[in-house]
Amino acid sequence: MIEYDFLTAKDVDSALEYLHKYESIKVIAGGTDLLVDIHKESSRLEKFDYILDISNIKALKFIEETKETIELGPLCTHTMLINSNIINKHFPFLVTAAKSIGSPQIRNRGTVGGNISNASPAADLIPPLMALNSEIELSSVRGRRLVKLENYIVGPYKTSKNHDELVTKIIIPKVDENYRFSFQKIGRRRALNIARLNLAVVAKINEEDLKIEDIRIVPGSATPFPVRFKNIEREALNKKSNELNLEELAKKIGDEMVNITGERWSTPYKKPALGAIFKKAMMEITNLSDGR
């Protein structure tokens, strides 16, 4: 049985003081990951002596729009994303990803900050947020710093956050109207499903010549932790969307996964499956129906 002392923070400053004072400490908000790990005494849990509850810090629960960004508080729940007019307007595929997470109870409790900081290879919000070039604001008693999400996740269940830092904001840059989005997911079952594979694609397509001017491709559950598939991005960049050979690209994205992970027991399934959902995403983004 894991034993620990329970601490409660009433505001951000008191949370940062606790994190500064105690080194062996875990932060809890929704608890949908941490409580399960504690119950199972998961081997990936590092030793800790304290749990810090930040769930009642109202200043960390928000969705706000600025001139150039959308900002999320780390205590923003999946349900808040789903119901947000701001998110539905600017990033509808983020709503699709949030809807795919667990049950209504999990979506009501689970938080964006927790989903990111747990850094699960199967996290559904990380691929779309990474494809959007999101940044994480980390705060401590020493001050604040920004880190790109693709640099924040450094391994399976590992982040670059220091022990005395707290995620205080997720910042998503706005994109122009020529950007298109797709989120695809394959789960083990239709309800309460953890992603066996997921994929986020963000692409800017010139309306006049259909050229792909920007593209970001981030699979989940395909690699030890989510990363952009930049080799595949380069294959598609500056190509006309109606001239893409999606069959060839679908094969190449599977090969890229194997280049990163090596051959595994799941490779015979995941390699063609990743190609299939990538092809589906690209057809959705480019409005192609013939699969070329």
Side-chain angles (χ1 to χ4, degrees):
M1 182 177 179
I2 298 175
E3 296 184 356
Y4 53 85
D5 290 327
F6 196 82
L7 308 169
T8 302
K10 65 181 185 299
D11 53 34
V12 173
D13 287 341
S14 61
L16 298 183
E17 288 294 339
Y18 277 130
L19 291 171
H20 178 69
K21 182 176 180 181
Y22 301 111
E23 184 170 341
S24 183
I25 189 169
K26 290 281 186 184
V27 174
I28 191 170
T32 56
D33 292 310
L34 180 59
L35 292 179
V36 172
D37 285 344
I38 291 173
H39 178 71
K40 292 182 176 180
E41 298 190 21
S42 171
S43 59
R44 67 171 172 258
L45 268 179
E46 297 177 356
K47 184 183 182 302
F48 63 95
D49 298 316
Y50 302 92
I51 283 184
L52 174 61
D53 180 13
I54 64 168
S55 61
N56 292 317
I57 302 178
K58 293 181 179 179
L60 296 179
K61 195 170 187 176
F62 61 86
I63 299 174
E64 295 177 351
E65 182 176 2
T66 72
K67 184 178 180 180
E68 297 181 346
T69 65
I70 306 298
E71 299 183 349
L72 310 177
L75 297 190
C76 170
T77 65
H78 309 313
T79 298
M80 285 176 63
L81 286 181
I82 293 167
N83 294 333
S84 168
N85 291 332
I86 294 173
I87 301 301
N88 276 276
K89 175 184 176 182
H90 291 281
F91 308 121
F93 80 142
L94 196 51
V95 173
T96 303
K99 284 181 176 179
S100 77
I101 294 172
S103 64
Q105 294 91 334
I106 294 295
R107 293 192 291 273
N108 288 340
R109 285 195 60 86
T111 64
V112 177
N115 194 265
I116 292 171
S117 292
N118 187 49
S120 166
D124 287 307
L125 294 184
I126 292 177
L129 287 171
M130 190 176 290
L132 288 167
N133 284 338
S134 300
E135 289 188 307
I136 310 301
E137 180 186 82
L138 296 169
S139 299
S140 69
V141 295
R142 296 172 281 108
R144 298 181 180 183
R145 66 185 178 106
L146 293 176
V147 58
K148 281 190 171 294
L149 179 56
E150 61 182 293
N151 297 324
Y152 181 65
I153 311 294
V154 296
Y157 304 99
K158 294 185 181 298
T159 72
S160 60
K161 179 169 64 68
N162 296 319
H163 79 272
D164 64 341
E165 290 181 314
L166 182 69
V167 175
T168 46
K169 191 181 293 184
I170 298 97
I171 303 168
I172 312 172
K174 288 182 179 177
V175 295
D176 67 43
E177 61 186 9
N178 289 327
Y179 275 87
R180 304 177 188 179
F181 317 97
S182 181
F183 177 81
Q184 305 293 330
K185 177 175 178 177
I186 299 173
R188 287 181 172 84
R189 49 179 294 201
R190 296 185 65 182
L192 314 184
N193 55 342
I194 296 174
R196 195 159 190 174
L197 275 175
N198 60 33
L199 174 77
V201 179
V202 173
K204 181 179 183 179
I205 300 179
N206 187 295
E207 292 293 336
E208 293 183 1
D209 62 8
L210 300 181
K211 182 179 289 187
I212 297 176
E213 298 179 342
D214 184 21
I215 186 165
R216 310 159 200 165
I217 301 165
V218 186
S221 285
T223 51
F225 56 98
V227 295
R228 285 176 59 176
F229 274 32
K230 294 186 178 181
N231 287 336
I232 307 302
E233 293 173 1
R234 283 190 284 270
E235 289 275 349
L237 191 63
N238 295 321
K239 303 284 198 318
K240 290 186 177 181
S241 61
N242 59 355
E243 295 176 352
L244 290 174
N245 187 328
L246 294 187
E247 293 291 349
E248 181 181 346
L249 283 175
K251 180 181 182 302
K252 285 185 176 181
I253 198 170
D255 292 338
E256 183 70 6
M257 178 189 72
V258 176
N259 287 339
I260 296 171
T261 64
E263 291 283 346
R264 297 186 173 190
W265 66 268
S266 59
T267 299
Y269 165 78
K270 284 193 172 183
K271 186 176 178 181
L274 179 59
I277 61 173
F278 172 70
K279 181 179 173 182
K280 184 176 180 181
M282 292 301 294
M283 290 173 67
E284 180 179 328
I285 282 175
T286 59
N287 296 320
L288 290 176
S289 59
D290 59 3
R292 285 184 298 167

